[in-house]
């Protein structure tokens, strides 16, 4: 660890000591203390760590963060709604700098059978209901950022989809970052899809800060019981100068189905850790991702699919679009445990480099300890197809327009797969705007 | 699983339990150094070989680097392999046949040695006359017989032992030694640079196409002797050479360390084809004995339009740690890597390649086929790097693994790093077992299960095997057959 890393760690530890816990429930106190020790022991990762070799925290360790939201006023409802993606007829739950803001939320309108509660409130009123779940999937020992988040554990969302409930309306969790002083904001999400239930949850990380510079460090734990069917969409539209680290940990029981979509449209440094454990036979997961990095941005997706039992299926598609001197990192690890026969695992990671300064480092990784399996991965890196460009130009499209069309087409494979149509078209539009931001003359 | 399983398993055990066919010991007098690694040992090796001062200095620098790494405990641990810690002071760093023969014909060679080669199925005389292969047979550490040297000399090709090259062409050795794999490159390369015993040297002059395959058969013989080979091949402008390396080793209980270094240099328009069949003792079914093979192989495509092609068939060794690589410096240069790696019993292999694209329009192809049976564990570990100036560079990689049995593992760790938008990289990997339906189809047509497996495996590896020169392709196919028969999943 460099001196800068040590100093940054110590500053964060000091901050943690300052943040007085709101509750004194023994198991929460223990979780926090263990996490604090784990974070102190690990420190902030350097590029010498195999899992961080392509992602440098140099700029993050130079920053100092305040505790969340000291300088901020709660934004107005209009402000919140204008930045949140317009998913119509959903249950909207807004968290400002990590804290639940009931005044901005409209849980009653169309929440349906799904229960969404503020974590802080549950921790005060009935903490014992969380003990079997909280911190069970997200390991502080393995992930320093999870340790950091857990050591601060205070607020976030607890989503419960009751047994056999079939929620027609999506649950939209909006994590708003506001304020101009760089601060640390660590929302925690716990989702439980009970036996035979069905729901769609959207986690939306959005910033309305002018200055940026925040560190948002979110951890989500997702439990799918037998036959549950859960869609989870994670939207990340960071400020171009802020840091976002997330950990998403899911565990699937028998015959459950999990579909995760992670769409990242920028941020100075974004690191997503996604781990799915297929723990019950017949479970299926689909992990999709789209990341777009422009000038000065680094987007890093680390995924792990753990086939722990036989007869499970996983499919993964992560697409990267890198422009300017943007950098993308993808590590897709698939582990098939010794007894996990009849596993089918597919993974694909195509990437598009739009300019000469752009960079992609990708590492698809298969670790297979069972024999009766069918596993594959593929990765491709290239620029836009010249023939396709020519074809479009020949039909009268301008060069920029033709490029944008092709890039949108590349991204559409992921975006069209989103479980909500309104969301998918909004995101397509957002992407087109994002691509329009390219400086003219930046050529492949 | 089919009902035929019990019988199949029985067959499996019978054949898996088959003794290593090439396990025997040649009893000839050995000249051994004391155990341990020290400056004295390095000086002893250097003086035994009458080396010039600069080479001794180079060895000593490497030794200091190695001792430093040893003290810092930086022996690499990132590979997917596990083995007991090696005590580098508990082995000998020098062993040579008592007398170093200076022979023109095979008649003068120790008959005991010749019998060894016969058992190995390498009839030197036959090869000399029929196959047109020049054989530089390295017995343990020192070359004892070099054939066809005279014929190669006519073309200006220098091919012989590394020691001879140091004596006869010091300027060439000095110019290129360590220029591709520096002595400080990695842990095992530093060890090799300090104590390398001998190896092969080939120099192909400008515009010469080497008329025959150059071949060296290595053989580890002395017990408790690490073998530290050093190979250097230089292909001048517009030249071509195909080089074969093949190995078998006698059965031993004690693990033997092998840390070789191979350096290739290809200048403008030159092409080097390097083929390896490696069949060292893999250890018994409990993983006892067997060779530890830690090899650094690297080729530099320095010249424009140069080409280096690695082909390897790895069936032996308890542990394989080997990444033949290409540094594609020259514009339009080409790197290739074709590999079949087979692990059975308790074998572990972590192998792959690095393709470092620096020049414009450089191209590389990686075809890796891994077969895992028994308790074998194997990993493909590869790096494709497209530098910022590698405009128009291309890479295609394919890594397939075949699993035979439910106790083995196959892993893939590809690293793709691209810093140039005009570069194209494609990577594909699959892992599967032999299909029941494929087997059934073959059985139905009267093939035994073993023949069917052997046929399917050979088909699986065909893309690699066809890159091998004739002589090797035959050997490799039967090797795969022997190593795999009965390993039915």
């Amino acid at each position: 660890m460099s001196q800068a890393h040590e100093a940054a760690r110590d500053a964060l530890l000091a901050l943690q000591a300052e943040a007085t816990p709101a509750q004194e429930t023994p198991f929460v106190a223990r979780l926090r203390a263990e996490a604090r020790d784990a974070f102190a022991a690990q420190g902030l990762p350097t590029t010498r760590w195999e899992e961080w070799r392509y992602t440098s925290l140099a700029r993050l360790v130079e920053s100092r963060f305040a505790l969340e939201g000291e300088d901020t006023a709660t934004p107005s409802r209009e402000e919140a709604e204008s930045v949140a993606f317009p998913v119509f007829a959903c249950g909207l739950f807004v968290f400002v700098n990590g804290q639940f803001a009931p005044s901005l939320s409209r849980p009653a309108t169309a929440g349906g059978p799904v229960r969404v509660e503020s974590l802080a409130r549950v921790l005060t009123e009935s903490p014992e209901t969380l003990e079997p779940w909280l911190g069970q999937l997200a390991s502080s020992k393995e992930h320093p950022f999870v340790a950091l988040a857990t050591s601060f554990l205070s607020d976030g969302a607890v989503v419960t989809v009751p047994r056999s409930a079939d929620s027609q309306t999506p649950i939209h969790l909006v994590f708003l970052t506001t304020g101009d002083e760089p601060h640390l904001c660590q929302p925690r999400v716990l989702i439980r899809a009970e036996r035979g239930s069905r729901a769609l949850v959207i986690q939306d990380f959005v910033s309305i800060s002018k200055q940026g510079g925040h560190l948002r460090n979110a951890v989500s734990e997702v439990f799918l019981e037998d036959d549950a069917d859960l869609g989870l969409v994670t939207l990340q539209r960071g400020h171009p100068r802020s840091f976002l680290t997330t950990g998403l940990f899911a565990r699937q029981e028998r015959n459950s189905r999990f579909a995760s979509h992670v769409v990242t449209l920028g941020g100075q440094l974004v690191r997503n850790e996604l781990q799915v454990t297929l723990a019950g036979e017949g479970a299926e997961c689909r992990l999709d991702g789209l990341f777009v990095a422009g000038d000065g941005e680094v987007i890093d997706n680390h995924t792990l699919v753990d086939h722990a039992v036989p007869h499970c299926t996983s499919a993964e598609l992560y697409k990267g679009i890198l422009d300017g001197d943007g950098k993308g990192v993808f590590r897709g690890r698939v582990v098939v445990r010794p007894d996990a026969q009849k596993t089918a695992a597919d993974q694909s990671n195509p990437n598009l480099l739009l300019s000469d300064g752009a960079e992609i480092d990708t590492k698809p990784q298969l670790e297979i300890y069972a024999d009766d399996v069918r596993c594959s991965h593929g990765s491709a890196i290239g620029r836009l197809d010249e023939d396709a460009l020519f074809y479009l130009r020949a039909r009268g499209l301008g060069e920029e327009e033709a490029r944008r069309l092709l890039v949108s087409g590349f991204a559409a494979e992921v975006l069209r797969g989103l479980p909500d149509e309104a969301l998918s078209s909004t995101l397509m539009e957002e992407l087109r705007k994002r691509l329009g931001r390219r400086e003219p003359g930046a050529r492949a | 699983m089919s009902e035929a399983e019990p019988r199949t398993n029985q067959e499996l055990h019978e054949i898996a339990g088959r003794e290593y066919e090439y396990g025997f010991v040649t009893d000839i007098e050995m000249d051994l150094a004391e155990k341990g690694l020290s400056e004295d040992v390095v000086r002893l090796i250097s003086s035994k070989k009458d080396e010039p001062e600069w080479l001794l200095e180079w060895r000593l620098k490497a030794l200091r680097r190695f001792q430093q790494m040893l003290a810092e405990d930086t022996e690499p641990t990132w590979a997917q392999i596990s083995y007991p810690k090696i005590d580098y002071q508990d082995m000998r760093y020098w062993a040579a046949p008592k007398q170093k023969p200076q022979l023109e014909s095979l008649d003068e060679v120790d008959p005991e040695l010749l019998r060894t080669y016969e058992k190995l199925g390498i009839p030197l005389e036959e090869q000399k006359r029929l196959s047109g292969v020049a054989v530089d047979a390295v017995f343990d550490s020192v070359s004892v017989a070099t054939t066809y040297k005279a014929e190669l000399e006519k073309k200006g090709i220098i091919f012989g032992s590394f020691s001879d090259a140091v004596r006869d062409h010091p300027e060439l050795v000095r110019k290129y030694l360590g220029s591709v794999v520096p002595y400080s490159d990695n842990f095992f390369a530093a060890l090799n640079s300090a104590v390398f015993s001998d190896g092969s040297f080939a120099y192909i002059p400008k515009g010469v196409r080497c008329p025959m395959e150059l071949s060296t058969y290595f053989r580890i013989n002395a017990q408790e002797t690490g073998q530290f080979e050093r190979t250097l091949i230089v292909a001048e402008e517009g030249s071509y050479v195909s080089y074969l390396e093949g190995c078998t080793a006698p059965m031993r209980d004690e693990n033997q360390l092998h840390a070789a270094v191979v350096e290739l240099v290809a200048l403008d328009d030159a092409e080097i084809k390097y083929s390896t069949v490696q069949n060292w003792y893999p250890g018994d079914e409990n993983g006892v004995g067997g060779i530890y093979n830690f090899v650094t192989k690297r080729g530099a495509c320095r010249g424009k339009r140069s080409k280096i092609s690695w082909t390897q068939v790895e069936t032996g060794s308890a542990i394989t740690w080997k990444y033949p690589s290409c540094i594609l410096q020259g514009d339009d240069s080409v790197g290739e890597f074709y590999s079949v790696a087979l692990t059975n019993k308790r074998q572990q292999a972590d192998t792959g390649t690095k393709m470092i694209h620096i020049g414009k329009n450089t191209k590389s192809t990686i075809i890796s086929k891994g077969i895992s049976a028994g308790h074998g564990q194997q990993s493909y570990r590869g790096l494709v790097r497209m530098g910022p100036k590698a405009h128009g560079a291309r890479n295609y990689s394919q890594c397939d693994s075949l699993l035979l049995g439910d106790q083995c593992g196959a892993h893939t760790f590809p690293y793709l790093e691209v810093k140039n938008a005009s570069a194209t990289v494609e990577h594909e990997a699959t892992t599967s077992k032999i299909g029941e339906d494929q087997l059934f189809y073959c059985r139905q047509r009267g093939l035994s299960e073993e023949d069917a497996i052997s046929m399917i495996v050979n088909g699986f590896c065909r893309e690699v095997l066809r890159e091998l020169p004739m002589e090797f392709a035959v050997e490799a196919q039967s090797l795969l057959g022997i190593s795999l028969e009965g390993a039915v999943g």
Side-chain angles (χ1 to χ4, degrees):
Chain A
M1 223 189 325
S2 76
Q3 278 188 336
H5 278 71
E6 274 181 43
R9 177 197 62 183
D10 295 343
L12 288 165
L13 285 170
L15 208 60
Q16 197 266 352
E18 200 184 309
T20 42
Q23 310 82 12
E24 294 300 338
T25 315
F27 96 88
V28 179
R30 198 183 60 239
L31 262 184
R32 281 209 197 96
E34 281 171 6
R36 183 192 155 89
D37 292 347
F39 179 68
Q42 293 171 85
L44 288 160
T46 70
T47 48
R48 298 181 70 90
W49 294 29
E50 175 65 20
E51 297 305 315
W52 290 83
R53 63 184 288 163
Y54 298 119
T55 307
S56 162
L57 295 180
R59 279 188 284 183
L60 190 146
V61 299
E62 283 166 14
S63 307
R64 289 294 174 270
F65 305 99
L67 279 175
E68 51 205 43
E70 280 163 358
D71 63 327
T72 55
T74 305
S76 69
R77 188 174 183 122
E78 288 68 38
E79 221 175 335
E81 285 191 355
S82 70
V83 290
F85 279 116
V87 179
F88 304 105
C90 66
L92 182 68
F93 301 86
V94 179
F95 297 78
V96 178
N97 299 328
Q99 269 146 22
F100 184 50
S103 63
L104 299 178
S105 308
R106 359 160 259 224
T109 34
V114 181
R115 245 187 3 255
V116 181
E117 293 155 292
S118 141
L119 176 65
R121 201 170 136 199
V122 183
L123 283 176
T124 328
E125 290 172 2
S126 51
E128 68 289 348
T129 58
L130 296 178
E131 190 165 357
W133 315 101
L134 209 55
Q136 295 304 305
L137 298 181
S139 159
S140 290
K141 291 214 167 54
E142 285 168 40
H143 307 284
F145 281 99
V146 168
L148 180 65
T150 307
S151 72
F152 278 81
L153 185 75
S154 62
D155 204 356
V158 180
V159 180
T160 314
V161 193
R163 193 166 172 163
S164 305
D166 186 356
S167 167
Q168 302 293 325
T169 46
I171 300 300
H172 195 168
L173 307 173
V174 179
F175 298 98
L176 264 182
T177 316
T178 67
D180 290 333
E181 194 196 338
H183 64 248
L184 178 66
C185 152
Q186 310 192 85
R188 181 95 179 191
V189 177
L190 174 65
I191 302 176
R192 282 180 51 218
E194 293 184 352
R195 192 179 281 254
S197 65
R198 205 174 90 166
L200 170 63
V201 178
I202 300 159
Q203 313 185 89
D204 190 355
F205 295 90
V206 58
S207 170
I208 53 172
S209 159
K210 286 185 187 66
Q211 299 294 317
H214 310 294
L215 169 57
R216 288 178 298 165
N217 179 31
V219 173
S220 310
E221 290 174 287
V222 180
F223 296 84
L224 287 91
E225 293 183 1
D226 291 0
D227 304 304
D229 183 343
L230 182 75
L232 181 62
V233 178
T234 306
L235 303 175
Q236 302 174 331
R237 293 165 297 157
H239 190 281
R241 278 189 304 282
S242 66
F243 309 98
L244 173 63
T245 50
T246 73
L248 169 55
F249 303 86
R251 181 183 166 92
Q252 293 186 247
E253 302 301 337
R254 193 177 281 268
N255 295 330
S256 60
R257 293 159 55 117
F258 179 55
S260 160
H261 289 79
V262 179
V263 179
T264 310
L265 298 176
Q268 174 169 231
L269 174 71
V270 179
R271 160 77 171 216
N272 296 316
E273 196 83 47
L274 196 171
Q275 299 193 356
V276 179
T277 305
L278 297 161
E281 291 191 14
E284 274 179 46
C285 77
R286 146 140 234 117
L287 309 178
D288 280 5
L290 174 72
F291 51 98
V292 184
D295 269 332
E297 297 182 322
V298 178
I299 298 174
D300 177 347
N301 277 292
H302 266 55
T303 69
L304 164 62
V305 180
D306 186 353
H307 283 265
V309 296
H311 296 283
C312 290
T313 306
S314 68
E316 197 173 350
L317 172 69
Y318 265 74
K319 285 190 152 189
I321 300 170
L322 295 317
D323 198 1
D325 66 0
K327 178 170 164 176
V329 180
F330 175 74
R331 201 282 301 256
R333 187 166 163 223
V334 175
V335 179
V336 180
R337 305 266 165 204
D339 294 323
Q341 303 295 1
K342 306 284 179 193
T343 286
D346 285 305
Q347 183 188 82
S348 169
N349 170 231
N351 299 284
L352 205 50
L353 295 182
L354 296 178
S355 78
D356 263 344
E359 176 180 344
I360 175 80
D361 299 300
T362 166
K363 189 185 164 198
Q365 184 178 327
L366 290 172
E367 283 173 60
I368 295 167
Y369 300 91
D371 68 327
D372 194 0
V373 300
R374 195 166 281 278
C375 299
S376 70
H377 68 217
S379 187
I381 298 155
R383 54 180 162 182
L384 290 176
D385 181 0
E386 292 295 327
D387 290 346
L389 263 181
F390 178 79
Y391 180 91
L392 292 174
R393 300 287 322 269
R395 272 143 192 84
L397 266 72
E399 175 148 359
E400 274 308 302
E401 184 53 29
R403 281 179 185 281
R404 214 171 304 162
L405 193 65
L406 287 176
V407 176
S408 308
F410 176 79
E413 189 183 356
V414 173
L415 296 183
R416 291 286 172 222
L418 285 167
D420 183 284
E421 232 171 90
L423 190 60
S424 138
S425 31
T426 313
L427 278 172
M428 280 305 288
E429 192 48 44
E430 187 85 0
L431 178 75
R432 271 191 280 268
K433 268 193 265 167
R434 175 77 172 70
L435 295 172
R437 258 205 270 149
R438 301 184 60 201
E439 323 75 274
R443 290 283 150 79
Chain B
M1 285 289 161
S2 65
E3 284 185 21
E5 190 183 23
R7 204 194 64 226
T8 308
N9 271 350
Q10 197 187 350
E11 274 171 27
L12 189 154
H13 290 305
E14 271 169 29
I15 296 155
R18 186 178 288 177
E19 294 289 288
Y20 180 68
E21 288 196 1
Y22 303 120
F24 49 86
V25 181
T26 312
D27 192 16
I28 54 173
E29 281 180 273
M30 301 298 284
D31 177 11
L32 293 169
E34 286 300 300
K35 277 185 178 180
L37 180 61
S38 66
E39 197 170 313
D40 290 344
V41 168
V42 172
R43 284 182 189 280
L44 172 79
I45 295 168
S46 192
S47 74
K48 285 263 187 196
K49 303 171 75 65
D50 280 329
E51 285 177 357
E53 190 62 25
W54 63 264
L55 190 52
L56 175 63
E57 280 308 312
W58 194 75
R59 283 177 182 274
L60 290 173
K61 271 195 282 183
L63 176 72
R64 283 190 282 272
R65 182 79 189 103
F66 178 73
Q67 283 173 332
Q68 188 191 343
M69 287 196 266
L70 204 57
E72 291 166 3
D73 200 18
T74 47
E75 185 168 341
T77 52
W78 38 260
Q80 190 94 344
I81 51 178
S82 63
Y83 54 92
K85 206 159 176 57
I86 297 167
D87 183 353
Y88 293 93
Q89 293 302 341
D90 191 34
M91 62 177 102
R92 288 178 218 280
Y93 290 88
W94 169 255
K98 257 270 179 336
Q99 282 152 354
K100 190 179 173 187
Q102 297 277 349
L103 306 174
E104 286 299 321
S105 83
L106 293 173
D107 303 341
E108 297 168 49
V109 174
D110 186 339
E112 188 76 13
L113 263 180
L114 288 181
R115 271 194 292 278
T116 305
Y117 292 132
E118 271 164 38
K119 279 194 215 167
L120 275 174
I122 312 164
L124 272 186
E125 292 279 35
E126 282 299 304
Q127 285 196 0
K128 206 171 158 186
R129 243 175 287 143
L130 298 174
S131 59
V133 173
V135 176
D136 171 7
V138 174
F139 191 87
D140 262 42
S141 310
V142 179
S143 305
V144 287
T146 302
T147 47
Y148 275 78
K149 205 166 173 173
E151 277 177 47
L152 292 171
E153 267 169 13
K154 265 188 250 160
K155 290 247 178 194
I157 294 168
I158 303 165
F159 177 52
S161 77
F162 202 89
S163 315
D164 291 352
V166 169
R167 194 186 57 225
D168 300 337
H169 308 280
E171 71 299 336
L172 280 175
V173 175
R174 195 171 182 175
K175 183 172 175 190
Y176 291 106
L177 178 70
S179 74
V180 185
V181 181
Y183 68 81
S184 57
D185 189 80
N186 67 63
F187 190 81
F188 297 108
L191 176 62
N192 174 286
S193 302
V195 299
F196 70 86
S197 40
D198 207 338
S200 301
F201 176 82
Y203 175 83
I204 322 298
K206 195 168 169 178
V208 171
R209 194 179 165 85
C210 185
M212 59 191 86
E213 317 268 358
L214 301 181
S215 171
T216 302
Y217 280 83
F218 294 92
R219 184 153 168 73
I220 296 178
N221 191 271
Q223 202 166 5
E224 293 174 69
T225 309
Q227 185 145 0
F228 303 96
E229 302 288 345
R230 186 109 200 167
T231 300
L232 176 58
I233 299 173
V234 179
E236 285 278 7
E237 272 173 52
S239 64
Y240 168 85
V241 62
S242 168
Y243 186 89
L244 315 182
E245 176 201 274
C247 334
T248 51
M251 181 177 264
R252 287 292 175 193
D253 272 333
E254 206 149 338
N255 288 307
Q256 293 188 313
L257 176 70
H258 184 100
V261 171
V262 176
E263 296 178 280
L264 311 182
V265 179
L267 301 177
D268 286 0
D269 299 294
E271 180 176 348
I272 301 174
K273 186 173 170 58
Y274 195 105
S275 312
T276 308
V277 171
Q278 186 262 111
N279 181 30
W280 283 326
Y281 180 50
D284 64 18
E285 48 267 58
N286 297 317
V288 177
I291 304 293
Y292 288 5
N293 190 21
F294 297 96
V295 190
T296 306
K297 288 183 168 179
R298 194 176 300 156
C301 283
R302 298 236 166 105
K304 290 176 179 157
R305 297 168 300 277
S306 55
K307 179 175 175 183
I308 288 179
S309 176
W310 299 100
T311 307
Q312 60 174 26
V313 175
E314 304 276 326
T315 59
S317 293
I319 290 175
T320 303
W321 180 99
K322 181 178 176 187
Y323 315 91
S325 307
C326 296
I327 299 171
L328 302 168
Q329 280 166 287
D331 292 348
D332 302 294
S333 57
V334 177
E336 290 175 343
F337 175 74
Y338 298 97
S339 167
V340 169
L342 187 150
T343 49
N344 200 352
K345 294 176 182 170
R346 301 266 171 189
Q347 281 176 277
Q348 306 172 59
D350 194 298
T351 183
T353 183
K354 288 184 184 180
M355 293 291 175
I356 312 292
H357 292 254
I358 297 169
K360 286 184 190 123
N361 298 318
T362 45
K363 288 186 178 59
S364 62
T365 306
I366 299 171
I367 306 285
S368 166
K369 304 282 182 180
I371 300 144
S372 222
H375 287 85
Q377 291 290 337
Q378 73 166 286
S379 309
Y380 166 82
R381 188 182 300 276
L383 169 69
V384 175
R385 177 181 290 156
M386 299 290 184
K389 291 184 179 149
H391 297 292
R394 293 188 72 95
N395 161 266
Y396 175 74
S397 313
Q398 191 180 341
C399 310
D400 296 325
S401 308
L402 199 57
L403 292 158
L404 307 166
D406 55 6
Q407 300 294 315
C408 55
H411 320 296
T412 322
F413 303 88
Y415 293 72
L416 313 175
E417 305 176 1
V418 181
K419 295 190 178 169
N420 188 301
S422 61
T424 309
V425 177
E426 291 168 277
H427 174 94
E428 283 172 33
T430 62
T431 303
S432 55
K433 64 180 276 191
I434 290 184
E436 298 280 331
D437 47 343
Q438 289 174 330
L439 268 182
F440 179 76
Y441 183 91
C442 296
R443 298 292 314 275
Q444 203 192 25
R445 274 148 190 82
L447 287 172
S448 73
E449 187 136 12
E450 278 185 10
D451 286 346
I453 299 240
S454 175
M455 195 172 87
I456 292 167
V457 167
N458 271 299
F460 175 74
C461 300
R462 198 183 50 191
E463 279 168 281
V464 174
L465 297 180
R466 71 174 178 215
E467 294 296 324
L468 286 171
M470 248 316 247
E471 302 87 324
F472 261 25
V474 177
E475 190 176 333
Q477 277 189 8
S478 53
L479 249 183
L480 284 178
I482 291 170
S483 314
L484 261 183
E485 275 169 350
V488 182

